[in-house]
Amino acid sequence: MSIEQHIRKFAYPIAILFPWLLTPIAFLIADYLPDTNVQLLYLVMVVFISINVTVELAIINALSSFFAYSFFFAEPDGSILIHGPEDLFTILLFVFSSVIVGYIATKQKRNVQKIREREFMTDIELELLEELPKAQNTEEVIAAMRDALKPWRENCVLITDADNWVTHPMIRRLTNLRKTYLEELLKLRLTPEVIEKIPALEREHDVYFLYNSQQVIGLLRIATENIQYLPKDIFLLLLRQVNISLERTRLAADLEKEKTAKENELLRSALLSSVSHDFRTPLTTMIGATSTVIEFGEHLDKQQTRELLDTVLEEAQRLNRYTQNLLDMTRLGFGQLQLECDWVSVEEIMGVVKKRLRPLLIHNYLKEDIDPDLPPLYVHAALLEQAIFNVVDNAIKFSPVNESIDIHCSKEDDRMVITICDQGTGIPEEERQKVFERFHTAEKGDRRRSGSGLGLTICQGMIMAHGGSVSIHGNPKRLWDKTNPGCCVRIELPVTIAIEQQDIGKSEE
């Protein structure tokens, strides 16, 4: 029990007895002060009571003060009867002072209390309104509401499926039938007709609904009459803001689901397009070689037959690599890519890439510049080959006829840097980060308009899986050309891991 509650409990005894307890002090100073000052002593006490308690108690205190003064200090001694006009004037002065001062003090206290209530509610309102826009889902909205209700936790209960609300004191007092009604309200399926009935349901069951346009999220049971600092109009306004936030998060979640579904559909279409494109050429070659052997096998010598069968084997192996790369790319999208690393030189990687690019280099050519004495890389060779192939293939599609694709490999500090530059239309600076986004296809630059928009995304994922990075820059050799400024893709891979592994291998030997 607080000090204020203790004071209220003993207010009447204090108001009656306090003047009589003050009398011994009045006796001590009565010999040194005029009688009027003794009256002022009692009057000061009346004013003090008037300021700190109600007007009713102040009047009781004023009457008790007069009788104490009359009994001990007024003629005749030992009597509380009024014997003269001056005694009547004294009692009127005490009562009038207590009423006036008490009224002014009470009015002032109420104004101060209203200001404090408003400040208190404003702080809660601002805090809640600051948290609600940040909420990303329903759980965060409910958590913000729960935090706002903490000052009144004893007089309110938030009822949701995730809470053990039946143990709250406000719920324990309810009958089992009313508890059952609350459980049914939580499971209520909302339709436009049901939503219109919510105000009536709130009045019937003495609860407030927390809901969006599709479902009931929770119920709030609160005893507003027992809460000193909770104006009902402000509370209802905050409750409305919470329901608006619940609808906003629902719409955001639905939009995210729709976006994810659309991306998955685009991914399926892109993968189907990529698979059909990458598989068509080797399959066509295999079908042609096999048909030739079957139809003209008797007219072919051993060397021709061997060349055709070698072609079939080579294309079958190529298909196998495509399939494995496709599986790796799928794992990359789900964060399940397992790197099967081995030692490989940059020259070996570039040799395989050039062989795969040979059918594509019809109108362009490669220029290699590989620094000597480069350390070997400890990488997943097939993934690195595919990453470089994607970049070069992208550069070929937008390079002018008879122009070169420049590849430079060097070591910078503890990084292996592979730079692939073309002389095409380039990528605007504001688009250079976006081209790594899934399905993004720039209208201008080193991207095929009809492409899936996955090439550079897959490249970045493969390189990052090795602890490296991919970035896009302008071609420094073509800054003078505004039409075809070119573009450089910079691939960086760590070589410190390779050196450490190499040292371990030597020590084991």
Side-chain angles (χ1 to χ4, degrees), residues 23 111 256-257 317 368 371 389 443 465:
T23 301
N111 292 335
E256 185 64 27
K257 288 179 182 178
Q317 292 173 340
E368 282 186 285
D371 290 353
F389 176 86
E443 292 184 359

Side-chain angles (χ1 to χ4, degrees), residues 308-508:
L308 290 171
L309 292 176
D310 285 342
T311 300
V312 173
L313 178 61
E314 182 179 348
E315 295 302 324
Q317 292 173 340
R318 180 180 174 188
L319 278 176
N320 183 59
R321 289 196 301 271
Y322 282 162
T323 304
Q324 185 59 48
N325 289 341
L326 185 62
L327 292 174
D328 288 339
M329 282 183 267
T330 305
R331 296 189 190 101
L332 183 67
F334 288 96
Q336 299 173 349
L337 184 65
Q338 298 294 326
L339 295 180
E340 297 179 2
C341 297
D342 200 355
W343 295 106
V344 63
S345 66
V346 178
E347 290 82 359
E348 291 179 82
I349 295 290
M350 294 309 304
V352 175
V353 173
K354 286 191 296 181
K355 189 175 181 181
R356 291 181 58 188
L357 289 169
R358 196 173 298 150
L360 303 177
L361 292 168
I362 301 174
H363 303 294
N364 303 96
Y365 60 95
L366 290 180
K367 286 176 61 176
E368 282 186 285
D369 181 15
I370 301 177
D371 290 353
D373 302 325
L374 290 179
L377 291 172
Y378 191 71
V379 294
H380 190 304
L383 294 184
L384 183 55
E385 292 165 11
Q386 184 66 41
I388 297 175
F389 176 86
N390 285 352
V391 176
V392 179
D393 180 38
N394 199 62
I396 291 173
K397 292 168 186 172
F398 289 91
S399 289
V401 176
N402 297 326
E403 295 292 350
S404 65
I405 309 297
D406 302 327
I407 301 177
H408 177 67
C409 303
S410 62
K411 182 176 179 293
E412 297 180 7
D413 299 326
D414 59 347
R415 313 285 284 182
M416 180 78 72
V417 179
I418 302 173
T419 307
I420 302 166
C421 297
D422 62 47
Q423 303 180 51
T425 54
I427 299 179
E429 188 170 350
E430 62 273 11
E431 292 282 334
R432 291 176 183 173
Q433 189 59 37
K434 294 181 180 179
V435 296
F436 293 110
E437 297 176 4
R438 187 180 297 177
F439 308 117
H440 179 83
T441 305
E443 292 184 359
K444 297 181 180 180
D446 289 9
R447 302 302 299 266
R448 180 174 56 182
R449 293 187 183 184
S450 60
S452 65
L454 285 173
L456 290 180
T457 305
I458 293 170
C459 170
Q460 185 186 51
M462 290 176 171
I463 298 302
M464 290 180 66
H466 288 85
S469 62
V470 184
S471 56
I472 297 178
H473 309 274
N475 191 336
K477 296 181 180 180
R478 299 190 63 83
L479 297 177
W480 53 272
D481 194 335
K482 302 299 182 182
T483 305
N484 293 317
C487 173
C488 290
V489 177
R490 179 184 173 93
I491 299 174
E492 297 185 20
L493 290 165
V495 296
T496 51
I497 298 177
I499 295 173
E500 291 172 2
Q501 294 288 347
Q502 196 173 28
D503 292 341
I504 293 173
K506 289 180 180 180
S507 63
E508 290 178 352

Side-chain angles (χ1 to χ4, degrees), residues 216-330:
V216 177
I217 307 299
L219 302 170
L220 178 63
R221 185 174 176 83
I222 183 167
T224 54
E225 66 278 1
N226 296 335
I227 300 176
Q228 186 176 3
Y229 304 112
L230 186 61
K232 192 170 182 179
D233 56 338
I234 297 180
F235 167 72
L236 293 177
L237 177 62
L238 293 181
L239 190 63
R240 178 173 175 79
Q241 292 297 325
V242 171
N243 287 334
I244 291 174
S245 295
L246 289 173
E247 178 65 10
R248 174 184 60 80
T249 55
R250 183 196 69 79
L251 292 173
D254 289 349
L255 182 62
E256 185 64 27
K257 288 179 182 178
E258 183 179 347
K259 181 180 177 182
T260 302
K262 185 176 181 181
E263 286 187 355
N264 289 336
E265 183 61 32
L266 287 173
L267 178 59
R268 284 192 291 268
S269 300
L271 287 177
L272 180 60
S273 174
S274 176
V275 168
S276 61
H277 176 269
D278 291 340
F279 279 36
R280 184 180 295 115
T281 300
L283 282 174
T284 302
T285 304
M286 292 170 64
I287 292 171
T290 306
S291 299
T292 301
V293 171
I294 292 174
E295 294 179 12
F296 304 103
E298 296 178 356
H299 305 287
L300 299 175
D301 58 30
K302 290 184 177 181
Q303 180 64 26
Q304 292 173 324
T305 303
R306 178 59 183 256
E307 288 179 358
L308 290 171
L309 292 176
D310 285 342
T311 300
V312 173
L313 178 61
E314 182 179 348
E315 295 302 324
Q317 292 173 340
R318 180 180 174 188
L319 278 176
N320 183 59
R321 289 196 301 271
Y322 282 162
T323 304
Q324 185 59 48
N325 289 341
L326 185 62
L327 292 174
D328 288 339
M329 282 183 267
T330 305

